[in-house]
Amino acid sequence: MTGKKFSGSKAVGKCQSPIISFRERFSLMPTLTLRFKDKNLKRFRFKRGITINIGRGKNNQVIIENLAVSSHHARLDFVGENYLLTDLKSKNGTLVNEALISTCWLNHGDNISIGRHVLVFAYTEDEQKVLNDKHIKNQTMGINQYPSGNPSFKNPENMEMALVDEDEHMGALAYLQGGVGEIELNKKLILAGKNPSSDIVIKGLMVGKTSFTINKRKDGYYLSYVSGYARPKVNHEAVKNTIRLSEFDTIDIGTTTFQFIKVRCKK
Protein backbone atom coordinates (compact mmCIF):
# COMPACT_ATOMS: atom_id res chain seq x y z
CA MET A 1 0.00 0.00 0.00
CA THR A 2 1.26 3.48 -0.76
CA GLY A 3 0.06 6.86 0.40
CA LYS A 4 -0.65 10.07 -1.46
CA LYS A 5 1.78 12.93 -1.56
CA PHE A 6 0.87 16.22 0.07
CA SER A 7 -0.60 18.64 -2.45
CA GLY A 8 2.00 20.96 -3.84
CA SER A 9 4.89 18.58 -3.16
CA LYS A 10 7.66 18.55 -5.74
CA ALA A 11 9.76 15.41 -6.12
CA VAL A 12 13.40 16.07 -6.92
CA GLY A 13 13.94 12.55 -8.20
CA LYS A 14 14.05 8.97 -7.08
CA CYS A 15 16.59 8.53 -4.29
CA GLN A 16 18.46 11.70 -5.27
CA SER A 17 19.48 14.40 -2.85
CA PRO A 18 18.78 18.12 -3.49
CA ILE A 19 21.68 20.58 -3.48
CA ILE A 20 21.27 22.66 -0.32
CA SER A 21 23.98 24.81 1.25
CA PHE A 22 25.01 24.27 4.86
CA ARG A 23 23.47 27.58 5.96
CA GLU A 24 20.16 26.87 4.25
CA ARG A 25 20.06 23.28 5.53
CA PHE A 26 20.83 24.42 9.08
CA SER A 27 17.29 25.74 9.58
CA LEU A 28 15.48 22.88 7.83
CA MET A 29 13.74 20.55 10.28
CA PRO A 30 11.63 18.00 8.42
CA THR A 31 8.58 16.07 9.60
CA LEU A 32 7.42 12.49 9.26
CA THR A 33 3.64 12.12 9.07
CA LEU A 34 2.32 8.64 9.84
CA ARG A 35 -0.66 7.71 7.66
CA PHE A 36 -2.97 4.70 7.44
CA LYS A 37 -5.59 4.39 4.70
CA ASP A 38 -5.25 8.10 3.81
CA LYS A 39 -5.78 9.15 7.43
CA ASN A 40 -3.10 11.10 9.31
CA LEU A 41 -2.34 9.37 12.61
CA LYS A 42 0.61 11.30 14.01
CA ARG A 43 3.22 13.84 12.98
CA PHE A 44 6.83 13.68 14.15
CA ARG A 45 9.14 16.70 13.91
CA PHE A 46 12.77 16.09 14.71
CA LYS A 47 15.94 18.09 15.13
CA ARG A 48 18.71 17.98 12.56
CA GLY A 49 21.71 15.83 13.35
CA ILE A 50 19.94 12.99 15.18
CA THR A 51 19.18 9.43 14.08
CA ILE A 52 15.52 8.36 13.87
CA ASN A 53 14.75 4.68 14.39
CA ILE A 54 11.50 3.34 12.94
CA GLY A 55 9.79 0.08 13.90
CA ARG A 56 7.34 -1.82 16.09
CA GLY A 57 9.61 -1.91 19.14
CA LYS A 58 9.04 0.48 22.02
CA ASN A 59 12.62 1.80 21.87
CA ASN A 60 12.11 3.43 18.45
CA GLN A 61 11.58 7.16 17.98
CA VAL A 62 8.80 6.41 15.46
CA ILE A 63 6.70 3.47 16.64
CA ILE A 64 4.34 1.71 14.24
CA GLU A 65 2.26 -0.87 16.10
CA ASN A 66 1.52 -3.36 13.36
CA LEU A 67 2.63 -6.98 12.94
CA ALA A 68 3.73 -6.28 9.36
CA VAL A 69 6.39 -3.94 10.76
CA SER A 70 9.66 -5.37 12.08
CA SER A 71 10.80 -4.50 15.60
CA HIS A 72 13.62 -2.42 14.12
CA HIS A 73 12.46 -1.81 10.56
CA ALA A 74 14.32 1.23 9.21
CA ARG A 75 16.60 4.09 10.21
CA LEU A 76 16.78 7.73 9.13
CA ASP A 77 20.25 9.31 9.42
CA PHE A 78 21.37 12.91 9.04
CA VAL A 79 24.42 12.37 6.81
CA GLY A 80 26.47 15.05 5.12
CA GLU A 81 23.71 17.70 5.60
CA ASN A 82 21.06 15.40 4.05
CA TYR A 83 18.71 12.63 5.13
CA LEU A 84 19.40 8.99 4.31
CA LEU A 85 16.86 6.21 4.87
CA THR A 86 18.17 2.68 5.44
CA ASP A 87 16.16 -0.54 5.61
CA LEU A 88 17.40 -2.65 8.55
CA LYS A 89 16.92 -5.99 6.78
CA SER A 90 13.23 -5.92 7.67
CA LYS A 91 11.03 -8.91 6.90
CA ASN A 92 8.64 -7.06 4.58
CA GLY A 93 11.01 -4.43 3.22
CA THR A 94 10.86 -0.66 2.91
CA LEU A 95 9.55 1.21 -0.14
CA VAL A 96 10.09 4.83 -1.15
CA ASN A 97 7.57 6.07 -3.72
CA GLU A 98 6.64 2.43 -4.44
CA ALA A 99 10.25 1.35 -5.10
CA LEU A 100 11.91 -1.21 -2.81
CA ILE A 101 15.09 0.25 -1.32
CA SER A 102 18.02 -0.71 0.85
CA THR A 103 19.27 2.89 1.22
CA CYS A 104 17.77 6.03 -0.26
CA TRP A 105 18.25 9.81 -0.02
CA LEU A 106 14.96 11.47 0.92
CA ASN A 107 13.35 14.51 -0.67
CA HIS A 108 10.33 16.62 0.23
CA GLY A 109 7.09 14.71 -0.29
CA ASP A 110 8.59 11.23 -0.47
CA ASN A 111 6.28 8.40 0.64
CA ILE A 112 7.91 5.73 2.82
CA SER A 113 5.82 2.55 2.88
CA ILE A 114 6.40 0.36 5.94
CA GLY A 115 4.01 -2.53 6.31
CA ARG A 116 0.47 -1.19 5.80
CA HIS A 117 1.44 2.31 6.92
CA VAL A 118 3.00 5.25 5.09
CA LEU A 119 5.36 7.90 6.45
CA VAL A 120 5.45 11.13 4.46
CA PHE A 121 8.77 12.99 4.63
CA ALA A 122 8.19 16.74 4.29
CA TYR A 123 9.41 20.24 5.03
CA THR A 124 7.31 23.30 5.86
CA GLU A 125 6.09 25.54 3.04
CA ASP A 126 8.94 28.01 3.59
CA GLU A 127 11.49 25.23 3.74
CA GLN A 128 10.05 23.66 0.59
CA LYS A 129 10.51 26.96 -1.26
CA VAL A 130 14.24 26.84 -0.49
CA LEU A 131 14.40 23.27 -1.82
CA ASN A 132 12.43 24.06 -4.98
CA ASP A 133 14.47 27.19 -5.76
CA LYS A 134 17.69 25.18 -5.47
CA HIS A 135 16.23 22.41 -7.63
CA ILE A 136 15.39 24.85 -10.44
CA LYS A 137 18.96 26.15 -10.38
CA ASN A 138 20.34 22.62 -10.51
CA GLN A 139 18.40 21.84 -13.68
CA THR A 140 20.50 24.34 -15.65
CA MET A 141 23.90 23.39 -14.22
CA GLY A 142 26.59 22.29 -16.64
CA ILE A 143 28.78 19.23 -16.46
CA ASN A 144 31.60 21.01 -14.64
CA GLN A 145 29.87 21.46 -11.29
CA TYR A 146 33.02 21.37 -9.15
CA PRO A 147 35.18 24.37 -10.17
CA SER A 148 37.46 23.74 -7.21
CA GLY A 149 38.34 20.34 -8.68
CA ASN A 150 37.79 18.72 -5.30
CA PRO A 151 34.12 17.67 -4.83
CA SER A 152 33.14 17.02 -1.24
CA PHE A 153 30.88 14.42 0.31
CA LYS A 154 28.98 17.31 1.82
CA ASN A 155 27.85 18.27 -1.69
CA PRO A 156 25.02 15.77 -2.14
CA GLU A 157 25.34 15.82 -5.93
CA ASN A 158 28.70 14.13 -5.39
CA MET A 159 26.91 11.13 -3.86
CA GLU A 160 26.70 8.98 -6.98
CA MET A 161 24.81 5.84 -6.07
CA ALA A 162 25.50 3.81 -9.22
CA LEU A 163 26.71 0.25 -8.84
CA VAL A 164 30.27 -0.63 -9.70
CA ASP A 165 30.62 -2.34 -13.04
CA GLU A 166 30.09 -6.03 -12.51
CA ASP A 167 33.41 -7.83 -12.73
CA GLU A 168 34.98 -10.71 -10.87
CA HIS A 169 36.19 -8.63 -7.92
CA MET A 170 34.71 -6.37 -5.25
CA GLY A 171 36.21 -4.19 -2.56
CA ALA A 172 36.67 -5.33 1.03
CA LEU A 173 38.19 -4.07 4.26
CA ALA A 174 40.58 -6.46 5.99
CA TYR A 175 41.22 -5.90 9.69
CA LEU A 176 44.85 -5.20 10.56
CA GLN A 177 44.02 -4.08 14.10
CA GLY A 178 40.88 -3.99 16.22
CA GLY A 179 39.12 -6.95 14.65
CA VAL A 180 39.42 -10.18 12.70
CA GLY A 181 38.51 -11.11 9.13
CA GLU A 182 37.22 -9.11 6.18
CA ILE A 183 34.19 -6.91 5.51
CA GLU A 184 32.90 -7.09 1.94
CA LEU A 185 31.82 -3.75 0.50
CA ASN A 186 28.81 -5.25 -1.25
CA LYS A 187 26.38 -2.32 -0.79
CA LYS A 188 26.03 0.96 -2.64
CA LEU A 189 26.80 2.91 0.52
CA ILE A 190 28.57 1.65 3.64
CA LEU A 191 28.18 3.65 6.88
CA ALA A 192 30.96 3.39 9.47
CA GLY A 193 30.90 4.87 12.98
CA LYS A 194 30.06 4.22 16.60
CA ASN A 195 26.31 4.13 15.98
CA PRO A 196 25.35 0.50 16.81
CA SER A 197 23.26 0.32 13.63
CA SER A 198 26.18 1.27 11.36
CA ASP A 199 27.34 -1.26 8.76
CA ILE A 200 30.79 -1.09 10.38
CA VAL A 201 30.74 -0.31 14.11
CA ILE A 202 33.89 1.45 15.32
CA LYS A 203 34.63 2.18 18.95
CA GLY A 204 36.33 5.33 20.19
CA LEU A 205 35.47 8.40 22.25
CA MET A 206 36.22 10.84 19.43
CA VAL A 207 34.68 8.72 16.66
CA GLY A 208 31.50 10.16 15.12
CA LYS A 209 28.17 8.34 15.07
CA THR A 210 28.71 8.21 11.33
CA SER A 211 32.45 8.73 10.98
CA PHE A 212 32.78 8.02 7.28
CA THR A 213 31.10 6.36 4.33
CA ILE A 214 32.42 4.21 1.51
CA ASN A 215 30.51 4.80 -1.71
CA LYS A 216 30.63 2.47 -4.73
CA ARG A 217 30.84 4.24 -8.06
CA LYS A 218 31.47 3.09 -11.59
CA ASP A 219 35.15 3.96 -11.35
CA GLY A 220 35.86 2.57 -7.88
CA TYR A 221 35.34 3.04 -4.17
CA TYR A 222 35.35 6.45 -2.47
CA LEU A 223 35.80 7.12 1.26
CA SER A 224 34.19 10.31 2.58
CA TYR A 225 34.60 11.88 6.02
CA VAL A 226 31.25 12.73 7.65
CA SER A 227 31.54 13.63 11.33
CA GLY A 228 33.46 13.22 14.58
CA TYR A 229 36.55 14.83 16.07
CA ALA A 230 38.67 11.85 15.03
CA ARG A 231 38.94 11.87 11.24
CA PRO A 232 39.70 8.68 9.35
CA LYS A 233 43.22 8.49 7.96
CA VAL A 234 44.13 6.90 4.65
CA ASN A 235 47.80 5.95 4.49
CA HIS A 236 48.35 8.03 7.67
CA GLU A 237 46.86 11.20 6.11
CA ALA A 238 43.64 12.63 7.59
CA VAL A 239 40.75 12.66 5.10
CA LYS A 240 39.36 16.18 4.70
CA ASN A 241 36.57 15.46 2.24
CA THR A 242 36.53 12.53 -0.19
CA ILE A 243 39.28 10.26 -1.46
CA ARG A 244 39.31 7.41 -3.95
CA LEU A 245 40.67 4.20 -2.46
CA SER A 246 43.45 2.22 -4.09
CA GLU A 247 44.19 -1.42 -3.39
CA PHE A 248 46.24 -1.97 -0.22
CA ASP A 249 45.50 1.50 1.19
CA THR A 250 45.38 1.50 5.00
CA ILE A 251 42.50 3.16 6.85
CA ASP A 252 42.92 4.20 10.50
CA ILE A 253 40.03 5.31 12.71
CA GLY A 254 39.95 5.16 16.50
CA THR A 255 41.74 2.00 17.60
CA THR A 256 40.91 0.18 14.36
CA THR A 257 43.05 -0.24 11.25
CA PHE A 258 41.80 -1.67 7.95
CA GLN A 259 43.41 -2.43 4.64
CA PHE A 260 41.43 -1.92 1.44
CA ILE A 261 41.70 -4.99 -0.80
CA LYS A 262 39.98 -6.59 -3.78
CA VAL A 263 38.33 -9.99 -3.31
CA ARG A 264 36.82 -12.36 -5.84
CA CYS A 265 33.04 -12.09 -6.10
CA LYS A 266 31.05 -15.10 -5.01
CA LYS A 267 29.32 -16.69 -8.00
Side-chain angles (χ1 to χ4, degrees):
M1 172 181 175
T2 59
K4 297 180 180 179
K5 293 197 174 195
F6 290 150
S7 63
S9 66
K10 185 179 182 74
V12 174
K14 176 183 172 183
C15 290
Q16 295 177 353
S17 181
I19 306 298
I20 304 296
S21 70
F22 177 82
R23 180 171 296 181
E24 289 166 327
R25 177 67 73 181
F26 186 82
S27 63
L28 303 188
M29 296 173 63
T31 62
L32 286 173
T33 301
L34 181 63
R35 296 166 61 87
F36 182 74
K37 294 184 177 179
D38 295 332
K39 180 180 180 180
N40 291 348
L41 301 181
K42 190 172 183 179
R43 177 168 294 179
F44 304 87
R45 191 168 184 86
F46 48 93
K47 296 180 180 179
R48 61 188 299 278
I50 67 171
T51 295
I52 304 296
N53 294 294
I54 305 167
R56 196 176 72 249
K58 299 298 184 183
N59 58 343
N60 293 287
Q61 283 76 31
V62 176
I63 300 172
I64 304 176
E65 296 180 346
N66 188 283
L67 292 178
V69 179
S70 297
S71 295
H72 298 91
H73 197 106
R75 181 184 74 232
L76 182 61
D77 291 300
F78 181 79
V79 179
E81 315 306 332
N82 295 278
Y83 293 89
L84 182 69
L85 179 70
T86 301
D87 179 80
L88 300 177
K89 298 181 179 179
S90 62
K91 183 175 181 179
N92 293 313
T94 301
L95 287 79
V96 174
N97 301 333
E98 302 186 23
L100 187 67
I101 62 99
S102 55
T103 60
C104 183
W105 296 110
L106 292 181
N107 295 283
H108 173 79
D110 280 347
N111 290 324
I112 306 166
S113 298
I114 295 181
R116 298 178 180 273
H117 290 71
V118 172
L119 286 165
V120 181
F121 180 86
Y123 294 98
T124 66
E125 185 175 348
D126 290 340
E127 293 165 345
Q128 184 187 354
K129 183 178 185 302
V130 173
L131 294 168
N132 289 342
D133 288 346
K134 296 297 288 187
H135 175 54
I136 292 171
K137 293 177 183 178
N138 288 340
Q139 289 180 325
T140 60
M141 291 178 71
I143 294 175
N144 183 17
Q145 297 165 7
Y146 307 110
S148 66
N150 184 21
S152 165
F153 167 80
K154 293 182 180 180
N155 287 330
E157 194 163 359
N158 186 38
M159 292 302 297
E160 181 180 347
M161 299 296 286
L163 289 171
V164 172
D165 291 338
E166 292 295 335
D167 56 24
E168 60 180 2
H169 292 87
M170 75 165 60
L173 298 183
Y175 280 100
L176 299 181
Q177 181 177 322
V180 178
E182 300 173 354
I183 302 172
E184 291 186 351
L185 305 177
N186 54 7
K187 294 173 59 178
K188 297 176 185 178
L189 187 70
I190 300 290
L191 304 181
K194 65 182 179 183
N195 191 323
S197 58
S198 297
D199 300 300
I200 303 173
V201 178
I202 299 171
K203 297 180 180 180
L205 181 63
M206 301 298 180
V207 176
K209 288 186 177 180
T210 301
S211 174
F212 65 89
T213 66
I214 296 180
N215 178 218
K216 290 201 296 190
R217 304 184 192 175
K218 292 181 180 180
D219 61 341
Y221 293 79
Y222 286 76
L223 184 147
S224 300
Y225 164 72
V226 178
S227 66
Y229 183 80
R231 289 176 178 261
K233 295 181 179 179
V234 174
N235 300 329
H236 310 294
E237 294 287 337
V239 177
K240 295 182 179 180
N241 295 309
T242 299
I243 185 171
R244 182 182 178 185
L245 294 174
S246 298
E247 192 167 14
F248 307 123
D249 280 350
T250 59
I251 302 168
D252 292 287
I253 180 67
T255 59
T256 304
T257 301
F258 301 101
Q259 186 171 54
F260 176 72
I261 60 175
K262 297 288 185 70
V263 297
R264 186 172 296 276
C265 292
K266 297 177 181 178
K267 298 293 186 179

